Amino acid sequence: MAINADDTLAMTTPDLSKPSEANTADVPSQQRIDDEPMRLITSFNDVFVFVASLLLLFGTAWLTISLPRWLAALIGAAMFWGLSEIFVRRRRMALPALYYAFGFLATCASFGFSVLYWVNGLDESSAVTEQPVSGIVLPMMVGYVALAIGTVFYWKRFRVPATFAMGIGGAVAMTWIVFVLLLDEPFIGALRVANIALGLAIFGWALRWDARDRKRTTIRSDVAFWLHLLAACMVTHPIFWALMPAYPFAAIAVFVLLTGISLVIDRRALMMSSLLYVISAIVNVLMTSTGTQSLAVVAVVVGGALLLLSVFWQPARHAVLKLVPADLRERLPQ
């Protein structure tokens, strides 16, 4: 489904990832596109509102715990939407926006999943493991539909850049939680392959958002950032699960490849999502060879290398881009 997000959005809806005009003078002049600015907090008032919202919604959840799950989820979704109208659409607060978007989408999925139980007169209190697979699949489908509808409506109303990533990530997380409890190991392997395939598709979609904002000045770039982050987790974790700890050298080689891709697309998400695995792989190699102070050596080497890469990111990127075909370079971030 194509979603149009042209530059006129900034005139009618809040762009939560860019400074407002009043604060533009406060942004450091040395900040570059490759710094990947990510605004999580606009002011300390964000933290104040976030904590107050946590208390409010915790109390609401506690008071509605005796209600049917679908009704409690509906009340929660209404509260998240109402708070978003005030603190996201009007006040443009970044941290509450992430919390409200996550909460709204989670309650949408919960509503869709539980409403079918209520309609069919099933016992909502029974655990997932006590249900047959056939009895879980249909509620999951309804949960997916409710989550998709909630994602689209929340995006159209509030333009929170992380909305799409949260919606897709929520569907993936729901699938893993349910099927890990119900399926045997061979099916889990197939689920990992499907996870990688979907992650690659999301990665391609993120590149399309990036290609439409090569200078990274609009909300498209921020949507791409969150999609890249989700895609990186979905692709790298299953691969490194398969390689570690038996194949540490292969894990290191994959990390080097991901570093090259990160330089080409000018995004660090791929590297960061695999960093813990490559540290584990290097420790494994050093322990089999010397066995002395391996963790300290790895911390110094990896930390120093990453700091050097941060300092020389642009020269390194220019060197890698020389290996990329010219027609592809024209579509990459500048």
Side-chain angles (χ1 to χ4, degrees), residues 138-303:
L138 188 56
M140 284 189 64
M141 296 297 107
V142 178
Y144 292 150
V145 172
L147 181 58
I149 294 174
T151 299
V152 172
F153 273 87
Y154 198 88
W155 163 256
K156 285 183 174 295
R157 181 63 175 173
F158 302 109
R159 302 293 188 193
V160 177
T163 304
F164 288 127
M166 286 183 178
I168 299 172
V172 172
M174 184 167 60
T175 303
W176 271 99
I177 291 172
V178 172
F179 282 101
V180 163
L181 297 175
L182 295 178
L183 299 181
D184 296 327
E185 183 62 30
F187 293 98
I188 300 301
L191 195 59
R192 288 178 180 173
V193 174
N195 203 85
I196 295 174
L198 180 58
L200 291 174
I202 296 171
F203 177 72
W205 192 32
L207 290 178
R208 290 191 61 184
W209 283 90
D210 266 336
R212 296 164 64 192
D213 181 20
R214 295 180 61 211
K215 294 184 178 180
R216 295 183 177 171
T217 57
T218 70
I219 196 174
R220 296 187 183 103
S221 174
D222 305 293
V223 174
F225 168 82
W226 291 102
L227 290 175
H228 276 299
L229 194 61
L230 174 64
C233 295
M234 294 180 62
V235 172
T236 58
H237 293 326
I239 292 175
F240 282 100
W241 284 342
L243 295 177
M244 292 298 296
Y247 306 101
F249 286 104
I252 296 172
V254 171
F255 178 76
V256 173
L257 175 63
L258 295 177
T259 300
I261 296 175
S262 298
L263 286 168
V264 170
I265 66 174
D266 206 5
R267 294 286 189 185
R268 295 166 176 81
L270 286 170
M271 295 171 53
M272 295 306 299
S273 64
S274 57
L275 190 57
L276 290 178
Y277 294 103
V278 77
I279 290 175
S280 176
I282 297 175
V283 168
N284 192 8
V285 171
L286 291 179
M287 288 184 67
T288 56
S289 57
T290 62
T292 58
Q293 298 180 330
S294 300
L295 186 59
V297 172
V298 170
V300 171
V301 172
V302 175

Side-chain angles (χ1 to χ4, degrees), residues 63-140:
L63 293 174
T64 58
I65 195 171
S66 60
L67 298 177
R69 290 183 184 177
W70 67 268
L71 182 56
L74 192 61
I75 293 173
M79 291 193 66
F80 280 116
W81 187 279
L83 291 171
S84 298
E85 289 286 349
I86 300 172
F87 296 106
V88 179
R89 188 169 176 83
R90 298 180 185 177
R91 303 289 298 276
R92 302 176 60 179
M93 292 184 170
L95 183 60
L98 294 175
Y99 173 51
Y100 298 154
F102 175 82
F104 178 76
L105 298 182
T107 51
C108 284
S110 177
F111 171 79
F113 192 86
S114 59
V115 71
L116 195 63
Y117 277 75
W118 175 73
V119 170
N120 293 334
L122 300 176
D123 183 12
E124 294 183 354
S125 63
S126 59
V128 172
T129 53
E130 299 175 4
Q131 302 287 346
V133 175
S134 58
I136 292 295
V137 172
L138 188 56
M140 284 189 64

Side-chain angles (χ1 to χ4, degrees), residues 31-52:
Q31 188 177 66
R32 302 182 305 274
I33 291 175
D34 61 282
D35 288 327
E36 290 187 274
M38 180 181 65
R39 295 189 82 208
L40 294 178
I41 298 178
T42 52
S43 67
F44 187 76
N45 196 30
D46 281 37
V47 180
F48 182 82
V49 171
F50 173 71
V51 173

